[in-house]
Amino acid sequence: MIEWLTVAQVAVAIVAGLLCLVVGLAGRRPSDLTLGATALVELLLLVQLVVSIVSPAAGNTPTGDALEFGLYLGSAILLPVGAGFWALVDRSKWATVILGVANLAIAVMVYRMHEIWFVQGG
Amino acid sequence: MTASTSPSARPASGVGRVLVVVYAILALAATGRSFYQIVSKFDEAPVAYSLSALAAVVYIVATVALVVPGETWRRVAIATIGFELVGVVVVGVLSLAAPELFGHASVWSYFGMGYLFIPLVLPILGLLWLTRRGRRARTADARAVASEDVRSA
């Protein structure tokens, strides 16, 4: 895990989450903007997946449990897929709100992943 | 009026959909965490981790019950969500009173603090939504019956 990338990722997920929440509560259906923001969050999660697979080989190992980290990352990767699929099927303003909820949940999960990788003592 | 068009038989709509998704995310989080706890460190706190697993199962059932239409599933939803509310309050108190037994991280310990208190707030919102949905459905059913009476008269 790379620290600055992770911080950026949490920031992007929070911004995307708030954007979708606000736009959704304002009554907009899922749009290229909100789906695009969610896709960006998903893309960063996939980058994170590659980084977390490669970095132990470069001597950057998690301080916490790799299994717990993997469960968080796996669940996080599923969320935009699920919420995005929902948004394509249910084209109402609530689908946009749901994209926001998923992105905010991802922000929390990436924060937890950061704790597992860097902060835990063995 | 057939069951499929009865308002009480309609699955979650409007803001209820958001409720369903939050429940689904919580179910996913609780399941993932309890899977990890049981696989890797069950011996440390068997009581807390068993509760974790129970909570995860209840969240999954509640999510399904919110999605599936019909009065029976609405009752299942009320039962499971009520159970969650009791669970988060009881385990919350116990985690403060007996931290050696319940202090370990679970979705309910310390009133769901590790999950931004969502486990405490969500069942309250869920029950409010379910009772409102039930009342609205009953009024609509009563209205439908009344209009059929008028037609048959």
Side-chain angles (χ1 to χ4, degrees), chain B residues 77-127:
Chain B
I78 290 177
T80 47
I81 292 173
F83 180 78
E84 277 164 27
L85 186 56
V86 172
V88 73
V89 170
V90 169
V91 174
V93 170
L94 284 175
S95 59
L96 294 175
E100 68 281 2
L101 270 185
F102 294 98
H104 287 263
S106 83
V107 69
W108 285 339
S109 34
Y110 304 107
F111 301 103
M113 196 169 69
Y115 291 85
L116 307 169
F117 296 107
I118 291 171
L120 181 61
V121 179
L122 201 59
I124 299 172
L125 293 179
L127 288 175

Side-chain angles (χ1 to χ4, degrees), chain A residues 71-93:
Chain A
L71 282 170
Y72 269 100
L73 184 55
S75 314
I77 287 174
L78 290 178
L79 282 184
V81 178
F85 184 68
W86 185 306
L88 292 176
V89 174
D90 167 27
R91 303 207 57 87
S92 78
K93 69 177 217 174

